[in-house]
Amino acid sequence: MPKTILITGASSGFGEACAKIFAKQGNTLILVARRKQLLDELADNLGKQCDVYTAQVDVSQPASIATFFEQLPSKLGPIDTLINNAGLALGLESADKADINDWETMINTNCLGLVHFTRQVLPSMVANNLGHIVNIGSTAGKWPYPGGNVYGATKAFVQQFSRNLRADLLGKNIRVTNIDPGMAETEFSNIRFKGNNEKAEQVYHNAKPLTAQDIAETVQWVCNRPAHVNINSLEIMPVCQAWGGWEIDRNC
């Protein structure tokens, strides 16, 4: 049955790929992001396949989120699936050199934004005894690396928040899934390095990373499991990536 699906960060990357793949199923899509022009272009492309509603929302600002939900047309009906995709990494400096403003932006976007969207949609899901929340985390939430500091911490938050949601929602027909992608080539590195294309391209040099389509197909698979099946968590890496060994400084 077609569903009403809300996707954050839908203007590019994983969010855009999810929109395209769910549009083919004839679902009603609610797409939000900061870049309204890109959203509208996407909506124009998808409009022949399904109903699409777009809104410019700054996920890092609670007031922007609240205004969005206040203005959301009631004709769209209850939200069946929330895909909390909006997120970003900024900088790769060590913690003693990192920009505190970058840290705050990552916390506000990756944690606070996800929490506010979740809190807005949960009451209707609980009232209808039906729903699915898909949170896009990262392998950085499990496996630390130099320069990952606050970004990794925010994604660890996403993972634990997802687990605690499952605990809170036990006994209700609401599913919660946390998906942790590894290295994936989207705008991620370009944003991390603040438009430095050379640095961004170096991240993927001589590697075959995941694509946005890979993650979108995974999200679709998770959402299309039978109603009694909950995929708690999935960690996904490209074959070219694995965990590192222990680092030892023998000069301490």
Side-chain angles (χ1 to χ4, degrees):
M1 292 291 293
K3 299 177 180 178
T4 297
I5 301 176
L6 169 57
I7 305 174
T8 69
S11 62
S12 65
F14 299 158
E16 179 186 10
C18 285
K20 290 178 178 178
I21 208 165
F22 281 110
K24 293 178 181 178
Q25 297 179 323
N27 298 291
T28 296
L29 301 182
I30 303 171
L31 309 178
V32 303
R34 287 180 298 174
R35 295 177 291 184
K36 187 64 160 61
Q37 182 178 346
L38 292 180
L39 282 179
D40 290 340
E41 290 173 0
L42 178 59
D44 288 341
N45 292 332
L46 301 180
K48 296 179 181 179
Q49 303 178 67
C50 65
D51 293 329
V52 183
Y53 175 85
T54 65
Q56 184 176 32
V57 180
D58 185 344
V59 173
S60 69
Q61 300 297 320
S64 180
I65 297 171
T67 299
F68 159 71
F69 278 100
E70 289 170 2
Q71 298 176 351
L72 193 63
S74 58
K75 66 179 182 181
L76 293 172
I79 294 167
D80 300 297
T81 303
L82 168 63
I83 301 175
N84 276 316
N85 165 71
L88 79 169
L90 293 173
L92 199 58
E93 297 83 8
S94 62
D96 59 307
K97 299 177 182 177
D99 185 332
I100 190 66
N101 294 314
D102 288 348
W103 280 8
E104 289 184 0
T105 299
M106 287 187 281
I107 292 169
N108 290 341
T109 303
N110 301 352
C111 301
L112 194 61
L114 180 144
V115 164
H116 275 270
F117 267 93
T118 301
R119 182 62 181 81
Q120 287 279 359
V121 303
L122 264 181
S124 64
M125 287 184 175
V126 170
N128 295 326
N129 199 32
L130 188 67
H132 195 168
I133 297 172
V134 180
N135 294 327
I136 304 299
S138 169
T139 54
K142 295 179 181 177
W143 313 108
Y145 59 86
N149 41 69
V150 166
Y151 174 68
T154 64
K155 292 304 185 177
F157 173 90
V158 172
Q159 181 184 86
Q160 191 63 18
F161 182 62
S162 300
R163 290 171 173 168
N164 283 321
L165 282 177
R166 283 283 296 132
D168 283 348
L169 296 169
L170 183 64
K172 300 176 177 62
N173 292 319
I174 300 172
R175 302 187 290 181
V176 181
T177 301
N178 180 73
I179 296 179
D180 290 328
M183 183 171 64
E185 188 169 8
T186 60
E187 289 185 334
F188 177 84
S189 291
N190 187 274
I191 292 172
R192 163 168 259 171
F193 297 120
K194 301 176 182 178
N196 189 323
N197 293 327
E198 185 177 350
K199 277 190 175 183
E201 290 171 2
Q202 194 60 36
V203 173
Y204 311 109
H205 181 64
N206 285 341
K208 190 174 182 179
L210 300 171
T211 67
Q213 184 68 18
D214 294 329
I215 301 306
E217 289 176 357
T218 302
V219 173
Q220 181 190 42
W221 178 81
V222 162
C223 291
N224 288 344
R225 295 305 85 212
H228 71 288
V229 175
N230 189 88
I231 306 299
N232 295 326
S233 182
L234 278 176
E235 180 179 279
I236 309 167
M237 289 184 184
V239 173
C240 66
Q241 184 182 30
W243 308 282
W246 290 110
E247 298 260 353
I248 300 173
D249 184 346
R250 301 186 187 278
N251 296 312
C252 289

